[in-house]
C-alpha cells in the first residue's frame, strides 16, 4: 500500500495512504506532476489539526469517492447531511471556516459542500445582526446603503 | 488576436491614414476583455474587518449555498456580502440550484414559462436576472410554489379599501381589475394612466390581517424610514366576464371624498348551474352618519383571481 508524506504549515509530517488523499484534486495534480516516490508534499496553508480531521473524513468516505463523479458531487447542492457528517462537522465557526478554506485549497468538493452547507444552515433564518455575531463580522454598511439594499431586495 | 496585436494594428491604421497629412499622436485605447473569468475573491468585493480572518472565497462559497429566504439578511451583513448577493454569478447559481433539474445547464424546465427559461437569463443585467430568478422561484422553489398554489379566496379582500378599477376589452371578454389596499395611515399613490389617485386610510380597522400587523410593527420600530415595498398591502381582484358591467358612479367619482372598503363578497352559482355570479359590497367609511353602501354585480363570470402584491402575475395587471 503506497504511503504519502504531507508537510503541514506547523511543520508536522503526516503519513497517510495514497488512496485516501486522492480525494483531493490539488494533491492528485501535484502527484501526477511529481516523479519521485519518496517526496514530501508541502501544504503551507493547512494546519496539522485540520489535516487530521480531513483525513478522518476521507477515511469514512473512502469507498464512496470511486462511485461518484464530479458532476454528481456538484449536483448534491441541496443534499441531506448524514448523521456521521453532521457529527463530524459539529465544530465552532472558526474551525468550520478553516475547513472550508482547506477544502477549497485541496479541492475536495464534497467536503467543501458539506462545510459550506453547514455554515449556511447555521445562519439560516437569522437576522443580519445575528449573522454578524455568528460570523464575527463588523457592519460597514451606512444607513442609506442598508435602506437601498432593503428596497432593492423587496 | 491578442490585445497587443490589436493595438499594433490600430496604430498602424491610424498612421497609414494620416500619412502625409499631419503628425498624429496616437494613444491606443485599452480594451477590457469582457469574457475574462473573474476570480471568486474579486467578485466578493472589498475586504471587511473580519476577525475570523477568512478569505473572501470562504464567504463566497457560503453565499453560494444560501437558501433564497436568507439572501436579503445575508446581503445586509456588510458591504462585502452585499456585493456578493448583487452579482450575476450569485443569481445564476441560484437559478441553477433551484430551477434547473439535476444541475444540467442545457435542459429546459417545463415547470417554467418561456420567459423564465435559462436562455432568457443569459443576456440580461444583474437586476433583470435577479428579478427573473425570483419570479422563477414561484414555479420551482417548493415553499414559494406552495404559497402560489394555495391561492387566495375572496375573503382575503374583506376590509380592504378600494383604490381604483380598470376595465379592458378583449375579443369576447372583459377584464376588470380592482386595486384594493390595506395600508393604514399612509398616503398611497398609484398611477393609472395619467390619473393619479390618492388614498388616505385613517379610520379603517383591519383585523386578522398579518400584513397590516407586520406593517404596524415595522412602523413603530422604525419611525424614520419606511422599508415597505411600494406595493405591499395592495391586492388585485381580476374578474373575467363576457359582458360589460359599468362601475357604480359612487366608486368612480367619489374617490376624493369617500373611502370605500370591501364589506362582503359573494360567489353564487347561476340558476342553470353553468356559471357563477360575483357580487362585491362596498361601504363608505367617511360618511359615518349614513353609511353609503354600493354593490357591484357581475353575472356569469368566466373566472376571477385574487393577486397579492408579491404574486408573479401582479405586475402584468397593475398599471
Amino acid at each position: 500500500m503506497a504511503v504519502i508524506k504531507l508537510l503541514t504549515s506547523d511543520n508536522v509530517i503526516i503519513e497517510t495512504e495514497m488512496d485516501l488523499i486522492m480525494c483531493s484534486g490539488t494533491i492528485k495534480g501535484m502527484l501526477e506532476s511529481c516523479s519521485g516516490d519518496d517526496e514530501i508534499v508541502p501544504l503551507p496553508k493547512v494546519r496539522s489539526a485540520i489535516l487530521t480531521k480531513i483525513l478522518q473524513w476521507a477515511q469514512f468516505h473512502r469507498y464512496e469517492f470511486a462511485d461518484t463523479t464530479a458532476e454528481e458531487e456538484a449536483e448534491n447542492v441541496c443534499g441531506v447531511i448524514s448523521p456521521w457528517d453532521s457529527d463530524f462537522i459539529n465544530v465552532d465557526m472558526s474551525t468550520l471556516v478553516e475547513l472550508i478554506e482547506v477544502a477549497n485549497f485541496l479541492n475536495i468538493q464534497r467536503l467543501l459542500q458539506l462545510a459550506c452547507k453547514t455554515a449556511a444552515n447555521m445562519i439560516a433564518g437569522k437576522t443580519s445582526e445575528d449573522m454578524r455575531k455568528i460570523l464575527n463580522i463588523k457592519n460597514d454598511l451606512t444607513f442609506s446603503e442598508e435602506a437601498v439594499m432593503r428596497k432593492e431586495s423587496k | 488576436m491578442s490585445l497587443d496585436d490589436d493595438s499594433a494594428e490600430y496604430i498602424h491604421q491610424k498612421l497609414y491614414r494620416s500619412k502625409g497629412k499631419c503628425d498624429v499622436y496616437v494613444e491606443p485605447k485599452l480594451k477590457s476583455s469582457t469574457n475574462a473569468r473573474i476570480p471568486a475573491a474579486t467578485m466578493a468585493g472589498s475586504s471587511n474587518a473580519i476577525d475570523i480572518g477568512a478569505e473572501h472565497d470562504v464567504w463566497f462559497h457560503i453565499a453560494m449555498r444560501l437558501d433564497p429566504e436568507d439572501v436579503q439578511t445575508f446581503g445586509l451583513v456588510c458591504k462585502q456580502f452585499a456585493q456578493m448577493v448583487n452579482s450575476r454569478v450569485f443569481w445564476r447559481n441560484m437559478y441553477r440550484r433551484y430551477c434547473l433539474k439535476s444541475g444540467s445547464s442545457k435542459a429546459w424546465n417545463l415547470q417554467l414559462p418561456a420567459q423564465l427559461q435559462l436562455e432568457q437569463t443569459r443576456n440580461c443585467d444583474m437586476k433583470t436576472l435577479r428579478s427573473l430568478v425570483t419570479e422563477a422561484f414561484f414555479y420551482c422553489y417548493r415553499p414559494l410554489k406552495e404559497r402560489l398554489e394555495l391561492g387566495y379566496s375572496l375573503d382575503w379582500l374583506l376590509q380592504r379599501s378600494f383604490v381604483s378599477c380598470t376595465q379592458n376589452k378583449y375579443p369576447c371578454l372583459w377584464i376588470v381589475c380592482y386595486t384594493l389596499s390595506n395600508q393604514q395611515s399612509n398616503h398611497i399613490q398609484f398611477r393609472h394612466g395619467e390619473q393619479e389617485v390618492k388614498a388616505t386610510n385613517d379610520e379603517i380597522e383591519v383585523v386578522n390581517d398579518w400584513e397590516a400587523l407586520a406593517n404596524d410593527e415595522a412602523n413603530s420600530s422604525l419611525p424614520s424610514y419606511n422599508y415597505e415595498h411600494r406595493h405591499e398591502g395592495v391586492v388585485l381582484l381580476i374578474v373575467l366576464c363576457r359582458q360589460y358591467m359599468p362601475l357604480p358612479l359612487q366608486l368612480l367619482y367619489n374617490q376624493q371624498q369617500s373611502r370605500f372598503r370591501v364589506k362582503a363578497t359573494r360567489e353564487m352559482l347561476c340558476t342553470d348551474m353553468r356559471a357563477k355570479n360575483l357580487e362585491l359590497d362596498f361601504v363608505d367609511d367617511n360618511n359615518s352618519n349614513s353609511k353609503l353602501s354600493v354593490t357591484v354585480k357581475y353575472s356569469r363570470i368566466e373566472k376571477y383571481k385574487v393577486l397579492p402584491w408579491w404574486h408573479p402575475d401582479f405586475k402584468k395587471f397593475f398599471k
Side-chain angles (χ1 to χ4, degrees), chain A residues 45 75 77 93 97 100-101 104 112-113 116-117 119-120 123-126 128 131-132 135-141 143 145-147 149-154, chain B residues 48-55 57-59 61-62 65-67 70 72-79 81-82 85-86 97-98 102 127 130 225 227 229 232:
Chain A
K45 286 187 174 182
E75 276 175 27
V77 176
M93 196 63 195
V97 165
I100 295 171
E101 276 180 323
N104 189 33
L112 181 66
Q113 171 63 34
C116 289
K117 191 65 197 163
I123 58 173
K126 301 279 193 303
S128 300
M131 285 186 189
R132 279 184 212 116
L135 302 173
N136 205 3
I137 289 176
K138 287 173 188 167
N139 183 11
D140 56 355
L141 284 167
F143 184 73
E145 284 170 335
E146 200 173 319
M149 278 287 295
R150 282 182 190 273
K151 200 176 175 185
E152 281 186 347
S153 55
K154 277 280 184 184
Chain B
N48 186 16
I50 299 165
D51 295 335
I52 286 176
E55 290 179 10
D57 278 0
V58 172
W59 306 127
H61 281 297
I62 294 172
R65 272 84 177 178
L66 286 176
D67 288 334
D70 298 317
Q72 189 196 12
T73 43
F74 186 81
L76 288 167
V77 168
C78 63
K79 278 183 186 173
F81 287 13
V85 298
N86 276 312
R97 284 167 64 197
Y98 294 101
S102 66
K127 286 186 177 176
R130 184 176 62 188
Y225 187 83
Y227 286 129
H229 186 275
E232 197 165 327

Side-chain angles (χ1 to χ4, degrees), chain A residues 86-99:
Chain A
S86 181
D87 193 42
F88 166 81
I89 209 76
N90 187 17
V91 290
D92 60 293
M93 196 63 195
S94 59
T95 311
L96 188 60
V97 165
E98 204 174 345
L99 265 174

Side-chain angles (χ1 to χ4, degrees), chain B residues 122-165:
Chain B
R122 287 195 201 282
N123 300 316
C124 55
D125 61 1
M126 196 286 297
K127 286 186 177 176
T128 315
L129 177 65
R130 184 176 62 188
S131 166
L132 285 173
V133 176
T134 311
E135 202 174 331
F137 283 157
F138 280 97
Y139 296 92
C140 304
Y141 183 53
R142 185 171 285 277
L144 293 182
K145 198 180 167 187
E146 282 173 356
R147 193 174 167 186
L148 205 65
E149 285 167 354
L150 207 65
Y152 283 89
S153 68
L154 286 170
D155 292 344
W156 215 60
L157 302 175
L158 295 177
Q159 305 302 329
R160 288 175 194 268
S161 23
F162 172 82
V163 177
S164 63
C165 177

Side-chain angles (χ1 to χ4, degrees), chain B residues 44 46 61 64 95 115 128 146 156 235 237 303:
Chain B
S46 61
H61 281 297
M64 293 302 225
Y95 186 88
Q115 73 270 17
T128 315
E146 282 173 356
W156 215 60
V235 186
L237 169 66
K303 194 178 179 182

